[in-house]
Amino acid sequence: MLQNIEVFTTLTNNYLLIHKNGCSHVKEHLYKNFEIVEHNNSFPQNNKVNWTILRDPYDRFISGLTYDILLQFKSLNNLDTLINESTLKSFIYKKINLRTRKNGNVNHTIAQWTYLFSQPINFIVNLKDLNKFLDIHFKTRLNSFKNETLFEHKKVIINFIEKNKILKKLIKSYCAPDYYYIEHAMNNNLFWEWQNGKIF
């Protein structure tokens, strides 16, 4: 295992949490719709559906980087100092072994494939299809996503990276394994589509 995973188990399903993929929104749906929700660090041995959510890797990286910078530095000032080729690598990797909710030391840029490595996932939901998925699977509906990085802040980070070809290339290289995993999952029909209807 490359990540300390978090699995939320209910009467009907096991949900693998991946940060910056609508996880706060999903957890709220789980707690509103099920009397018992167990929080585990591995998939339980049961016959329930194991599912998770994936997001476009580059978009997720930008969102996670923006969120982590704001969390750590409270502003996007001095981006030239905060984001350069050497410090970006440090920013990506420095918290990989310290991922705990208790102290908030969660790295929101860690690649999605590290959560999925050797995990028994039956279905994957694309983040862009999440609202439709939640509407079909849950009785209680909620209005908005939680903890979503403000769009204006993301635009600042995107503009900064788009102007720096070396940084953009580095980030695209970092995201490449996630794109490979997503393409592989799509080719193996792991992604949920509305035509599938309810899967649990």
Side-chain angles (χ1 to χ4, degrees):
M1 285 174 54
L2 301 179
Q3 279 284 36
N4 298 317
I5 69 166
E6 295 179 73
V7 178
F8 291 81
T9 297
T10 72
L11 182 66
T12 62
N13 67 97
N14 303 307
Y15 161 65
L16 172 65
L17 181 150
I18 299 179
H19 290 283
K20 300 310 297 176
N21 289 8
C23 57
S24 296
H25 198 52
V26 171
K27 284 193 301 175
E28 192 169 347
H29 274 78
L30 293 176
Y31 283 109
K32 291 275 187 185
N33 284 274
F34 294 96
E35 290 185 16
I36 299 174
V37 180
E38 296 177 1
H39 183 198
N40 304 296
N41 295 120
S42 63
F43 275 98
Q45 296 294 318
N46 58 42
N47 294 321
K48 298 173 184 176
V49 172
N50 300 334
W51 67 284
T52 193
I53 300 161
L54 292 183
R55 179 177 183 176
D56 176 80
Y58 184 74
D59 182 57
R60 177 179 176 272
F61 182 91
I62 298 298
S63 183
L65 181 64
T66 307
Y67 188 81
D68 282 347
I69 289 174
L70 290 172
L71 200 63
Q72 188 169 342
F73 300 103
K74 310 302 180 191
S75 78
L76 298 181
N77 296 330
N78 306 315
L79 284 179
D80 286 316
T81 304
L82 293 177
I83 309 176
N84 59 58
E85 187 174 355
S86 59
T87 59
L88 184 61
K89 288 180 181 177
S90 172
F91 213 101
I92 291 170
Y93 297 116
K94 67 182 177 181
K95 293 186 280 189
I96 191 167
N97 295 319
L98 302 173
R99 231 190 112 249
T100 60
R101 280 196 167 280
K102 288 183 180 177
N103 60 16
N105 217 356
V106 175
N107 189 333
H108 295 90
T109 59
I110 292 296
Q112 295 168 96
W113 74 266
T114 65
Y115 292 85
L116 295 160
F117 187 76
S118 294
Q119 302 305 325
I121 296 295
N122 305 119
F123 281 96
I124 297 169
V125 178
N126 191 321
L127 183 67
K128 67 180 180 62
D129 297 324
L130 180 57
N131 279 331
K132 175 64 72 177
F133 179 85
L134 296 175
D135 281 347
I136 290 174
H137 287 80
F138 298 100
K139 295 176 184 175
T140 303
R141 295 184 180 184
L142 304 168
N143 294 323
S144 61
F145 283 87
K146 307 291 183 183
N147 294 333
E148 179 59 28
T149 306
L150 292 176
F151 182 67
E152 293 77 17
H153 291 148
K154 275 181 65 177
K155 281 200 302 188
V156 172
I157 297 289
I158 289 170
N159 290 336
F160 178 83
I161 291 171
E162 290 294 325
K163 292 175 183 176
N164 189 319
K165 292 183 179 179
I166 294 175
L167 276 180
K168 186 172 181 181
K169 185 177 180 181
L170 176 68
I171 294 168
K172 287 287 191 179
S173 295
Y174 177 73
C175 292
D178 270 1
Y179 280 111
Y180 174 82
Y181 188 97
I182 287 171
E183 183 178 354
H184 182 74
M186 289 179 70
N187 289 339
N188 285 277
N189 297 316
L190 289 177
F191 273 89
W192 176 87
E193 296 179 331
W194 68 267
Q195 293 93 334
N196 296 120
K198 294 185 72 168
I199 60 173
F200 56 77

